[in-house]
Structures are given as structure tokens and as C-alpha cells.
Amino acid sequence: MAATGHDYYELLGVARDADETAIKKAFRRLARQLHPDVSSEPDAEVRFREVTEAYEVLSNSETRALYDRYGHAGLRSGGFTPTHFDMGGLSDLFSAFFGEDIFGGRGTGRARGADVGAEIEIELVDAARGKTVSVPFEVAVDCGTCRGSGVEPGTQPVQCRRCEGSGRLHQVSRSVFGEFVRAQPCPDCRGTGRIVEHPCAVCRGGGRVVESREVEVEVPAGIHDGQRIRLTGKGHAGSLGGRAGDVYVLVHVKPDPRFVREGNDVYSQVDLTIVEAALGVTKVVDTIDGSVDLELPAGVQPGEVRVLKGKGMPVLQGFGRGDHRVLVSVAVPRRLNDEQRRALEAFEAASDEDTYRHDESFFEKLKSAFH
Ligand SMILES: [Zn+2]
Ligand SMILES: [Zn+2]
């Protein structure tokens, strides 16, 4: 008796004239999506059974012909019964059928250890030079007392009665895919074939303990905020000899209030008074290499940018460095006393067009034409 009254083609989302390949493809896609082990939708199991039934009928030319002519009633009179299967451990069947594990290699045995995340914060100037930083983190490692076995030293595990020490249970199942002998890990001993009656007191039988570690990390020059450094094999220990996971160190580069970083370039600002700008001045300017003297000629204008070539951040894992661009800012006096006011008024009276004329040389004209 069919479990669903829904249209099989609609359930699989295929056209009535879909060929075998298209039907298989559609089922495969839906099976991945709806399998109760991976789907969190509440009706996933019901829908999974429905699409499996639809696939069972449409993948067989006899039942498909019957269904095409007479619908669900035709199948009933033809004596069709959809397979009933247990929902647990279906991935074995899928892998036999599709030739791969569609749920991505679960199972027991040797496994790679999990990755560990860690974070560090460094100054921008350290990001420019590169720095060695101590990074503390915690990892799960094999328990030293029982050497990862979980068994209290001096005692022995006993053979699992359920699987008689084989670690696997064999089960024959009939399904849409045919008949399979399925070997599943024994749930009592979790596939080990042994039962630990006296677990290790240190790790409580888990075989793992948490260990604090501190590793020196070479932060490369030119690193950007938010980049990660991978420490291969420094993460959690693998199980049954599987390799250890990795540690990913997230690097925060602290903003430096003196600078703005943009890619490999660094920007900063130099503040002049109107008098300094008018008379010319030498200013001490901070760069990531330290301070430098910056000569600003008489008549330098607000908004001008002085480029210190190659004084920016180094290119990460590359050659050369970005530039340091210094933006010229000129402050206009906000409050004047009488004496200052008279001086400025006298200055203004003595000024003419020539005082503010921009002496643009031919070269400067050429440059501005390209901006
Ligand atoms: Zn067992
Ligand atoms: Zn232990």
C-alpha cells in the first residue's frame, strides 16, 4: 500500500518525460536535503519517505508504466508495496548505491583532530616590522596516565558481549536499492569490540585531557587586520592515530591613532599655522619607521599631499613597500587679540593680487592635467 497520495513526478520535481538520469539526479538531490540526519525541518522524515517511494516507483520501468497509466490505483492493484526501512544508518545504503558517502564520511575509526581558534592583537608598527608573539591556547591531547586508552592502568577491558569483540553488527536490509548486508559499528562498545569496566581516573575514560600550550608565532611583516595564521598540526589530537588538527590564529592589528592604513599605504596629517604655511617650515612627522623631518616650502597650501615614497607598510609576502602620504592641514586663527588683529589688518593692507598668485610652473600644469 502506497504511503503517499501525492504525485510522484511532483514529489521529485521532474517532468513526466524525465529520463532515468534526471530522476536519479533529482532523488539524489532531495535525499541529501531531506535525510533526517542532516535536515532540521520537522517534516523531513515524512518527505524523505515520500520522495524515496516516488523514486522507487519511477526508477523501475514496470512500476513507472503502471503508475503513468493508472496512477496510485494502478500500483495498488499491481501489488506494489513501498519498501519500509529503518531511518538510521541509511548512508551505508546510499554509498553502495551512489558509489560514495553522500553525507561526507562519518563513521568510526581514525579521525583528524579538530581545529583550534586563537586570537592575538598587535600594534600597527609591529605589523609593519613583523613580530614573534606568544600565543596561549588549550588543546585536547591523549591522556598521559592511560596513554589515550581510557583504561585505568593495571586493569584490562573485557570483550563486548553484543558484538563478541568484532566491533561491528551485521544487519540485512531490503530496500529500494536492493538487498544489502550492512555492517554497523556496535553501539555498546562504539566499534572498539571492548568494554572498559574500569575507566581511567584522570580522564574519566575519555582518553583525553585538556592541555594548555603556548606557541611562538611569527607574524609576518605587512599582515592585515583580520588575517589568520595557520599552525599546522598544533590543534586537538586526532583519534586512533589520526593527525592533529590545526590552530588558526586570528590577528587583530590595533589602529594607530597617528595613522590611517589603506592597503599598503599609510596616511597621516601635518598641522601648520597660517604663518608656518606662508613662511615655510620644517616639521617632524611620524612614520611607521620613526620620525622624519619634512620640509614644507613657503606658500604650501592646505590639502596638499606630500608623498614619502616607500615609507608605508611592507607588502605581505612580497617585495617593496607602500607609500606614506602626508596631508597638509592649515589652521586659521579662531580668536585674535587687538595686537594680532592690527598686525593682520596691516598685512592685509600691504597685500595685493600678487600675494596670493599661484605661480604654476609648466611642470606643475602638466602634472595637474593628469589628475
Ligand atoms: Zn560491541
Ligand atoms: Zn586517562
Side-chain angles (χ1 to χ4, degrees), residues 229-253:
I229 298 171
R230 184 168 80 171
L231 309 175
T232 308
K234 301 279 190 205
H236 296 307
S239 57
L240 301 175
R243 77 171 188 87
D246 302 330
V247 175
Y248 286 88
V249 181
L250 175 62
V251 180
H252 293 292
V253 179

Side-chain angles (χ1 to χ4, degrees), residues 160-165 167 186-191 193-195:
C160 173
R161 262 182 238 148
R162 183 151 173 198
C163 62
E164 294 169 329
C186 169
D188 283 15
C189 60
R190 282 191 253 142
R194 306 180 314 162
I195 299 283

Side-chain angles (χ1 to χ4, degrees), residues 43-178:
D43 61 343
E45 181 168 338
V46 174
R47 290 185 60 207
F48 183 80
R49 285 182 186 280
E50 284 184 335
V51 298
T52 306
E53 184 186 314
Y55 176 70
E56 190 173 10
V57 170
L58 298 185
S59 61
N60 176 310
S61 55
E62 278 176 41
T63 47
R64 184 177 178 181
L66 210 56
Y67 177 70
D68 283 348
R69 271 200 206 168
Y70 308 111
H72 289 290
L75 291 171
R76 272 199 295 279
S77 59
F80 168 78
T81 313
T83 308
H84 282 275
F85 46 85
D86 109 71
M87 298 301 286
L90 268 174
S91 56
D92 286 344
L93 294 176
F94 282 117
S95 54
F97 183 66
F98 292 122
E100 59 168 283
D101 183 352
I102 67 166
F103 302 115
R106 281 174 301 145
T108 56
R110 167 188 296 230
R112 182 181 170 277
D115 295 331
V116 174
E119 286 184 38
I120 55 170
E121 187 175 66
I122 59 169
E123 301 288 338
L124 182 65
V125 287
D126 293 328
R129 289 183 201 125
K131 192 184 186 187
T132 304
V133 182
S134 260
V135 184
F137 54 89
E138 292 191 325
V139 285
V141 295
D142 280 349
C143 170
T145 306
C146 61
R147 292 195 188 149
S149 68
V151 183
E152 182 69 20
T155 70
Q156 291 292 324
V158 297
Q159 195 186 66
C160 173
R161 262 182 238 148
R162 183 151 173 198
C163 62
E164 294 169 329
S166 71
R168 298 180 83 68
L169 295 176
H170 296 274
Q171 190 184 344
V172 179
S173 54
R174 215 176 62 72
S175 78
V176 53
F177 312 109

Side-chain angles (χ1 to χ4, degrees), residues 338-359:
D338 290 346
E339 190 188 346
Q340 290 166 328
R341 182 183 305 277
R342 276 194 299 277
L344 281 179
E345 279 167 356
F347 171 77
E348 184 70 354
S351 301
D352 57 18
E353 266 180 32
D354 195 48
T355 312
Y356 293 96
R357 189 161 51 84
H358 188 193
D359 250 345

